[in-house]
Amino acid sequence: MFLSKPTIDDYLENGIYGQKQTKPDERRKFLGTLRERIVIALTQSQVREKGIYKEVQDQLKKHPDAKLLLNGNMSYTFLSKYIKLADTYHVSFSMVTNKEIETDIGLVLAYDHAIDQEEIFVQKKSEKVMEAKAKPKPKKSLFSSIKNKLF
């Protein structure tokens, strides 16, 4: 089987549209990388929360050879805490800015090869707090509340 040499049309097409990529929608969503390469990911709203996610800190410690990709469309104020964290653990990082594409992803720690991590998203801090508070208290009947007041 012979591969044909690129034609002038191929060169022009690459110049106009860029190199052909696999899974372009997935790459746009995950800040230029593929889902199968991601160690951990945070949404923009999670990145905007006060403090840092311990899960991200732990993964930065565990995976110093991975690269931290940050959504460049977000304010630097929110991203700076994760940039400092990456610097602390000697993890390289990049700001990924694509004005034409909207993604809810704020941060991704990924390799340049597939690792197939099953769960990449971190549960929101507010959801963790809500789950603890969500346990319903047993309701008292009207009779028992009157009895408690009288006796």
Side-chain angles (χ1 to χ4, degrees), residues 4-145:
S4 62
K5 290 185 178 180
T7 65
I8 291 176
D9 290 336
D10 293 332
Y11 285 113
L12 287 173
E13 207 169 289
N14 281 346
I16 295 169
Y17 303 111
Q19 288 282 12
K20 291 180 182 170
Q21 290 185 332
T22 56
K23 303 181 182 178
D25 291 336
E26 192 173 303
R27 287 179 187 271
R28 284 189 284 270
K29 178 179 180 176
F30 292 113
L31 305 177
T33 192
L34 299 170
R35 162 73 176 80
E36 65 195 22
R37 298 176 178 184
I38 296 174
V39 176
I40 195 167
L42 293 181
T43 63
Q44 287 191 33
S45 61
Q46 287 175 305
V47 173
R48 284 189 203 99
E49 289 177 20
K50 275 194 166 185
I52 57 159
Y53 275 79
K54 183 163 177 22
E55 294 90 341
V56 174
Q57 183 176 5
D58 294 344
Q59 295 302 336
L60 284 169
K61 278 186 213 176
K62 274 189 184 165
H63 302 277
D65 296 334
K67 188 170 191 172
L68 186 65
L69 304 172
L70 302 158
N71 189 330
N73 294 331
M74 292 182 66
S75 170
Y76 181 78
T77 8
F78 301 119
L79 300 174
S80 61
K81 58 191 172 195
Y82 288 103
I83 292 171
K84 288 175 188 164
L85 198 61
D87 198 39
T88 302
Y89 296 111
H90 309 289
V91 174
S92 64
F93 69 91
S94 278
M95 304 285 277
V96 180
T97 307
N98 189 345
K99 297 288 183 192
E100 295 128 33
I101 305 300
E102 274 297 315
T103 179
D104 63 332
I105 303 296
L107 165 155
V108 166
L109 182 65
Y111 281 96
D112 59 359
H113 59 275
I115 58 165
D116 291 319
Q117 181 98 359
E118 191 173 315
E119 188 55 49
I120 62 168
F121 291 104
V122 178
Q123 189 179 34
K124 285 188 173 190
K125 286 182 182 176
S126 56
E127 288 175 1
K128 289 178 184 173
V129 173
M130 295 294 279
E131 283 178 8
K133 293 179 181 175
K135 293 178 184 172
K137 294 179 182 176
K139 291 186 177 182
K140 293 183 178 181
S141 68
L142 178 62
F143 178 73
S144 64
S145 59

